[in-house]
């Protein structure tokens, strides 16, 4: 409904929080947003998730921004960046690193930018091991976007700053452990390491200079992308007459 044919219903900003799926057929469906959870062990069907292929060509997303809190929502690296947590050697999880299909599809239809997560997204993005909310990065990013700041600036004092804070905390802890083995518990050190890598993996897909189109008008008319035909002259081979080609943009 939000991304379909009714352009007055399409939001200027879309925020989702869900599981992001991992598939063997990764390039087309990796990072798809899970909409219907059937429980552990159940295999999702196409009716249970929203992928790039589900976004119709007439979707009214011109000028939209989106933020996907989901595993692989922005992309997938070649190697598992959290293999340490399972005491495994780092192994390839994809033939190469790639951008998720849904953000690319959105941008191809006129969306301005998508903020998302590369690799798995963890609860430490917004909650501490003690259950305390640590969602200030999301609040700051959303506030700055709604205030009209460029998306690149909105993510700087939010996700970028959280990564800097967590990196500093992790570096300090590792330095102190060299002199005091009891400086930090193993569980707290593991959380700090995981939160650091998690914060690093938020990225912008699109133009970091764009701003969220906000207005005081209650129901503004939403513009549409119109296909335009143009004629391009092609240099003919020597000895032949002029040629002309029509292309769609």
């Amino acid at each position: 409904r939000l991304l379909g044919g009714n352009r007055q219903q399409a939001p200027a900003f879309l925020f989702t929080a869900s599981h992001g799926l991992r598939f063997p057929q990764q390039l087309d469906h990796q990072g798809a947003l899970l909409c219907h959870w059937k429980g552990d062990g159940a295999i999702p069907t196409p009716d249970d998730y929203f992928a790039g292929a589900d976004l119709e060509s007439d979707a009214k997303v011109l000028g939209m921004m989106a933020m996907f809190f989901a595993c692989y929502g922005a992309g997938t690296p070649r190697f598992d960046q959290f293999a340490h947590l399972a005491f495994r050697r780092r192994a390839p999880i994809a033939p190469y690193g790639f951008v998720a299909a849904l953000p690319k599809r959105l941008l191809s239809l006129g969306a301005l930018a998508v903020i998302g997560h590369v690799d798995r997204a963890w609860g430490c993005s917004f909650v501490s091991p003690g259950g305390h909310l640590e969602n200030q990065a999301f609040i700051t990013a959303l506030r700055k976007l709604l205030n009209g700041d460029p998306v690149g600036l909105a993510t700087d004092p939010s996700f970028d700053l959280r990564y800097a804070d967590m990196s500093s905390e992790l570096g300090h802890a590792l330095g102190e452990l060299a002199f005091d083995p009891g400086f930090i518990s193993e569980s707290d050190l593991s959380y700090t390491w995981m939160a650091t890598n998690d914060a690093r993996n938020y990225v912008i897909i699109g133009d970091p200079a764009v701003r969220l189109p906000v207005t005081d008008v209650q129901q503004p008319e939403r513009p549409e992308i119109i296909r335009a035909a143009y004629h391009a002259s092609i240099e003919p081979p020597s000895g032949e007459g002029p040629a002309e080609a029509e292309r769609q943009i």
Side-chain angles (χ1 to χ4, degrees), residues 29-233:
H29 297 274
Q30 184 88 339
L33 305 179
L34 183 64
C35 303
H36 182 207
W37 177 247
K38 295 180 178 178
D40 293 334
I43 299 176
T45 67
D47 291 335
D48 299 326
Y49 59 82
F50 192 84
D54 296 313
L55 196 60
E56 301 291 344
S57 59
D58 63 348
K60 311 305 180 184
V61 298
L62 179 64
M64 174 188 286
M65 286 190 195
M67 182 184 295
F68 299 146
F69 176 70
C71 295
Y72 310 105
T76 300
R78 182 184 179 193
F79 291 98
D80 181 2
Q81 298 179 0
F82 295 93
H84 296 78
L85 298 177
F87 303 101
R88 296 195 305 260
R89 296 181 62 184
R90 193 173 73 160
I93 57 174
Y96 48 83
F98 60 89
V99 177
L102 181 55
K104 291 196 296 184
R105 180 66 172 160
L106 280 166
L107 264 61
S108 73
L109 295 175
L112 298 177
V114 176
I115 302 171
H117 200 275
V118 176
D119 208 317
R120 283 167 285 176
W122 300 85
C124 58
S125 287
F126 59 89
V127 65
S128 71
H132 302 291
L133 286 178
E134 294 186 352
N135 57 359
Q136 190 58 47
F138 290 92
I139 294 173
T140 299
L142 293 174
R143 180 181 292 123
K144 294 190 76 65
L145 283 173
L146 293 175
N147 284 339
D149 289 332
V151 63
L153 180 60
T155 54
D156 185 53
S158 52
F159 299 110
D160 292 350
L161 183 59
R162 176 167 172 79
Y163 175 49
D165 285 344
M166 297 307 302
S167 296
S168 178
E169 185 176 336
L170 178 61
H172 175 67
L174 293 174
E176 290 297 322
L177 282 174
F179 304 99
D180 179 8
F183 176 77
I184 186 173
S185 68
E186 290 185 354
S187 59
D188 286 344
L189 180 63
S190 176
Y191 164 77
T192 305
W193 179 89
M194 184 167 62
T196 300
N197 284 274
D198 178 81
R200 179 190 64 188
N201 288 353
Y202 284 94
V203 298
I204 299 170
I205 309 298
D207 186 351
V210 296
R211 304 168 188 264
L212 189 65
V214 293
T215 178
D216 295 330
V217 180
Q218 290 297 319
Q219 291 185 331
E221 186 69 17
R222 194 181 192 93
E224 294 185 80
I225 293 179
I226 300 175
R227 286 188 175 271
Y230 75 95
H231 295 272
S233 296

